[in-house]
Amino acid sequence: MLRADTDHCEWLPDDAKTGEMVFIPGGTFRMGSDHHYPEEAPSHRVSVDGFWIDRTSVTNRQFKQFVNATGHVTEAQIVPDPKDYPGALKEMLYAGSLVFSPLPRITDLTDWSQWWSFMRGANWRHPYGPGSNIKGLDDHPVVHVSYSDAAAYARWAGKELPTEAEWEFAARGGLDGEEFAWGDALMPGGKHMANIWQGNFPVQNLGEDGFERTSPVMAFPPNGYGLHDMIGNVWEWTSDWWSSKHAADAAKPCCIPNNPRGGREDASYDPRLPDIRIPRKVLKGGSHLCAPNYCRRYRPAARHAEPVDTSTSHVGFRCVVRAVDPNSVRSPTTK
């Protein structure tokens, strides 16, 4: 339920769960990009209604509270069901998660298995394998969470996961069509604005931004809406099913999609793996592993497909709460 706040001419939720969140007035913006990767095209106008979004990615501290309260066990901590992975060797089915661990010598930049390992015992409590832990990382984003883990946390918190359109609108921080969440320069005035990779990926990480792996969630400046790490640090789950491209731009202003919800589940499967029917969701934002020489996905328009059962050392999430009366919280079209 919402209550009128006559001092601010807004509608605010009665529930205290939005107290640390940021309200994003709805509006119309240009989603996607025609200048980068094919899955980001075509650029098109969409509208979203007002919503609240977490100021930062969900942290290890917050996820720990959820686990302590519910006893939740993440997918990375559960042995996979063989029927979901036809043809897989029995000895390869064990509890674990994908960890960035490059080989000493990389021979093929198209073969991601040279720097990703499905590591036994890797999970949110042990982000780099059994010998690691999250001591001192309370303010870092939780990682090694699958889509169902993120959705379970959101339900517990009385929230939801954002749609791709909501996420991108929030990431742009009030800027429409700019390259990054803060403008068109990657490093304005030589300043690092996000936790991304510096050096020759995946073998040379210079750490010039101060971090080689994840960083505390408020280590870098917020965007125009006051949101941190919408670019870099960790990729973030959205609720939309993956599609290989965006829909075409509406022919008339009256037909601009409002609150679009992405593609179809049955169209999200990976065509390269016809025997494995695991649907995929859209990830947004890039991560600390995005590098100019390999992956320029540290932009609001960037998107990536992730199977719902997959967790990694560079994927996290944040949540939203949608306004019940969206007509009262719409803002003019962004320019």
Side-chain angles (χ1 to χ4, degrees):
M1 182 178 294
L2 300 175
R3 57 180 169 80
D5 185 331
T6 54
D7 292 333
H8 298 92
C9 298
E10 295 177 350
W11 286 77
L12 300 174
D14 285 330
D15 199 321
K17 64 179 173 250
T18 60
E20 299 300 319
M21 302 177 82
V22 174
F23 181 72
I24 309 296
T28 302
F29 74 110
R30 186 159 290 281
M31 183 177 177
S33 172
D34 295 321
H35 309 297
H36 294 281
Y37 296 97
E39 68 270 13
E40 300 172 20
S43 172
H44 61 298
R45 298 193 74 75
V46 304
S47 295
V48 295
D49 293 326
F51 60 96
W52 288 261
I53 188 167
D54 288 339
R55 189 177 301 274
T56 71
S57 307
V58 172
T59 64
N60 283 316
R61 177 185 288 107
Q62 292 169 313
F63 199 78
K64 190 187 306 180
Q65 292 170 345
F66 157 63
V67 170
N68 289 343
T70 65
H72 181 83
V73 178
T74 64
E75 284 201 62
Q77 297 169 292
I78 301 171
V79 176
D81 188 334
K83 70 178 178 58
D84 293 330
Y85 305 93
L89 298 175
K90 184 178 180 180
E91 58 268 26
M92 294 300 295
L93 294 176
Y94 50 80
S97 189
L98 286 167
V99 177
F100 178 74
S101 50
L103 297 174
R105 183 168 179 267
I106 304 298
T107 59
D108 182 2
L109 277 177
T110 66
D111 179 12
W112 59 265
S113 69
Q114 294 187 61
W115 54 89
W116 284 106
S117 299
F118 187 77
M119 190 174 295
R120 187 189 299 269
N123 55 58
W124 75 275
R125 291 188 184 275
H126 306 286
Y128 308 110
S132 66
N133 58 60
I134 55 172
K135 184 178 181 180
L137 302 180
D138 276 354
D139 294 325
H140 286 236
V142 65
V143 292
H144 296 297
V145 284
S146 69
Y147 180 79
S148 67
D149 298 325
Y153 175 95
R155 287 192 298 271
W156 170 77
K159 303 178 182 182
E160 298 178 83
L161 296 179
T163 66
E164 181 179 3
E166 288 169 338
W167 195 101
E168 186 169 331
F169 185 73
R172 291 184 178 278
L175 303 175
D176 195 10
E178 303 290 336
E179 187 84 344
F180 305 106
W182 49 83
D184 276 331
L186 177 60
M187 292 177 57
K191 182 179 181 180
H192 291 285
M193 300 294 288
N195 182 6
I196 63 173
W197 184 285
Q198 298 88 45
N200 183 27
F201 182 89
V203 295
Q204 179 195 40
N205 187 349
L206 299 176
E208 293 172 344
D209 59 11
F211 303 95
E212 292 188 6
R213 293 176 173 171
T214 60
S215 52
V217 293
M218 299 181 76
F220 292 87
N223 71 0
Y225 286 145
L227 305 175
H228 293 266
D229 289 343
M230 296 302 284
I231 300 301
N233 211 5
V234 294
W235 285 96
E236 295 184 0
W237 287 105
T238 74
S239 60
D240 283 6
W241 297 114
W242 171 259
S243 58
S244 60
K245 62 180 181 179
H246 287 308
D249 212 356
K252 300 178 181 180
C254 65
C255 304
I256 293 173
N258 187 51
N259 298 321
R261 293 299 177 105
R264 305 190 321 271
E265 178 179 355
D266 62 358
S268 73
Y269 300 113
D270 191 337
R272 299 166 299 180
L273 301 170
D275 295 330
I276 298 180
R277 307 292 284 174
I278 305 294
R280 298 180 293 172
K281 294 283 188 176
V282 177
L283 297 181
K284 296 288 283 184
S287 80
H288 62 282
L289 300 181
C290 285
N293 76 303
Y294 179 75
C295 170
R296 295 176 179 265
R297 289 186 170 87
Y298 36 75
R299 297 169 290 102
R303 54 203 302 267
H304 181 65
E306 188 82 345
V308 295
D309 66 333
T310 299
S311 60
T312 78
S313 59
H314 74 332
V315 171
F317 68 102
R318 74 181 71 206
C319 303
V320 299
V321 172
R322 297 187 179 95
V324 177
D325 184 4
N327 292 326
S328 68
V329 289
R330 292 298 300 275
S331 69
T333 302
T334 53
K335 301 295 185 182

